[in-house]
Amino acid sequence: ADLLVPQLESFVRYTPGLHSLRSAVQRLRERHLEKSTDIVEAEAMGQSVLPPEIFYTKMPRHIGTAASRAMWNFSLGTVFGPILLVTIAGKSIASGNPASIGRGMLEAVVVSTIWTGLGYGGALAQLLGGAFYTVSGPYWIYGARRTWHPVHREWVKPTMEPDAELNMMPTDGELWEEAMARMARQRDGPSGDLPSRGREYYSVLGITETATQTDIKKAYRRASMVLHPDRNPSPNAQAEFEQLTKAYKVLSDPTARKKYDAGGEEALKSGAGGEVDRRDTLRSLFGGDVLRDLCGEVRSTRFFRRIIDKVSYSVQEVAILNARSADRAAETLLKYIDGHPGPAPTAEPGKPSTEYDRQLRTWEQGLKRRTNAYINTGIAKEVLHVLGEEYHRVLDEDDMSAVQRTVNGMLGTPRRVADRVAPWVHIARNGTRANRDPGVVMETVWGLSVIELRYTARYAAQKVALDVSATEEERTRRKAALRSLARAFVKAGKPWDGVSDSVMNTISRSAAEDMRRRAREREDRK
């Protein structure tokens, strides 16, 4: 029951046609929890004991994604159905009680049948859903001009109004903590839960988890007087003192301490708090934190978050993070066009619109100051060029009919497919060099990331320019401002022309500057 209930809940929630069963499955879960005292006690402490959804149940947007998810569901149903049958039946047979054997065999058949049915049904649902959204996608994106919501898994009208349901979900920090706690439980078992997970550094300093910064400093001074190699006769004196210093550096840094408390040393290796943060390095490559708010997070899939951030998020957690990233890009875009006077007025003969020109110059000067802050960071110019081009595409579609937009979108499918395939062809051609040659790596990273950049740019542009909650006058102003912004980005940026020496030099210089800046920030925190 611990295994099946979350899967049933997930299928009912995300599979079209099964919503009417939601209340029945909810009652099943409540009845199960009433009989599971350990689960009730754990959930009262804020711990999630029931396993997360194992099957893919949310409808995918692309047939390629659907095929891989269908294969996963089919494999789980095929492999683990018989395993559950043998395990449950074997346990009942081992009891030796005839009544238990009969009941156990029945349970084994029922559970394995349900599990296998979920796997095969989930595979079919993924294929049908992927096929439907692939065929209908051009209409929804271009014809109906809807945006895909990664959490709700549906096409929604573009609006800048806050998403109440998304705002009620855990914050990004809470999602990170839950993911790290889950990884610790998988690694260490139940003992991986707080507070036993992150005690080693506290034990080294001889303090508790509730110690203040003053307590940490005092404990470090006392312990260093004893463990310093000049005073410690132990043959391991140097190693003991280094461990003490390491514990102090982590616990005296509020950010690193929070991560250590959430996931132990593994959490420090996942990013902030560690010596090398792959995510920060990737962000600096694409223009730094400032531009990241506008272009969104690149390499944001579940797989790449596991590789880059070393955090194993669930499918739902990744969807929440990506939805917030896209919404943040739309909010940042709205700030970029704030202050723009809108479409140029029809000037009377001999009377130039000086007030309009003054407002436009003020906005352009502010935009130039803003972009100058990151224009030479990494490949920011190439990123701006991609954003500007995508903003132009969204605005150009404004003069087309729904049919024209749909046909235009369908004609662009080969280009989008080629963009998706090109990075993998590049990797296959270069073999082992794809992991070692910096130029090949950079070319691959760009090819994999440009798709996400275009998606986020379109999402943000549609939300801002087609906002159904704004007045027609305001939408007209935003479209004129977005057109000016697109021209400025295309002019300030440059198209991707492969990896050249100048590109690599810019990346190296930006990376070095970013490392120095973060080192200064760590020193300031101390």
Side-chain angles (χ1 to χ4, degrees), residues 308-432:
I308 297 172
D309 303 328
K310 296 185 181 296
V311 181
S312 182
Y313 289 106
S314 69
V315 175
Q316 176 71 356
E317 289 167 345
V318 169
I320 295 172
L321 291 171
N322 290 346
R324 290 207 176 107
S325 177
D327 286 346
R328 185 165 53 245
E331 293 166 0
T332 305
L333 178 58
L334 193 60
K335 294 177 182 177
Y336 266 74
I337 64 175
D338 185 40
H340 190 282
T346 303
E348 298 181 14
K351 292 184 178 180
S353 181
T354 55
E355 179 60 23
Y356 174 86
D357 293 340
R358 185 191 65 78
Q359 293 179 7
L360 183 60
R361 280 196 303 272
T362 301
W363 177 82
E364 290 174 343
Q365 291 169 358
L367 175 63
K368 188 174 182 179
R369 286 194 298 271
R370 174 175 280 181
T371 54
N372 282 344
Y374 55 74
I375 192 66
N376 293 316
T377 302
I379 54 175
K381 291 183 179 180
E382 288 80 358
V383 173
L384 287 181
H385 193 272
V386 170
L387 298 183
E389 283 191 328
E390 199 62 34
Y391 296 160
H392 275 309
R393 287 194 186 98
V394 172
L395 295 171
D396 291 342
E397 294 164 3
D398 204 43
D399 298 328
M400 302 178 187
S401 66
V403 175
Q404 288 176 313
R405 288 196 298 267
T406 303
V407 172
N408 190 56
M410 295 177 67
L411 293 177
T413 300
R415 176 183 61 83
R416 292 189 293 272
V417 172
D419 288 343
R420 289 181 176 275
V421 173
W424 303 107
V425 173
H426 186 71
I427 292 174
R429 285 178 177 175
N430 288 277
T432 56

Side-chain angles (χ1 to χ4, degrees), residues 84-160:
L84 287 172
L85 176 66
V86 173
T87 303
I88 299 175
K91 186 176 180 181
S92 62
I93 294 173
S95 67
N97 187 337
S100 299
I101 292 176
R103 186 174 63 250
M105 294 297 291
L106 179 61
E107 290 176 352
V109 172
V110 171
V111 170
S112 64
T113 301
I114 293 176
W115 182 270
T116 304
L118 289 176
Y120 292 174
L124 180 61
Q126 289 293 303
L127 289 175
L128 293 177
F132 171 76
Y133 283 124
T134 299
V135 173
S136 62
Y139 166 73
W140 290 111
I141 297 174
Y142 303 102
R145 312 197 82 178
R146 302 288 181 91
T147 55
W148 176 262
H149 200 290
V151 175
H152 307 321
R153 307 302 292 180
E154 60 183 359
W155 299 103
V156 297
K157 293 182 179 180
T159 177
M160 291 300 295

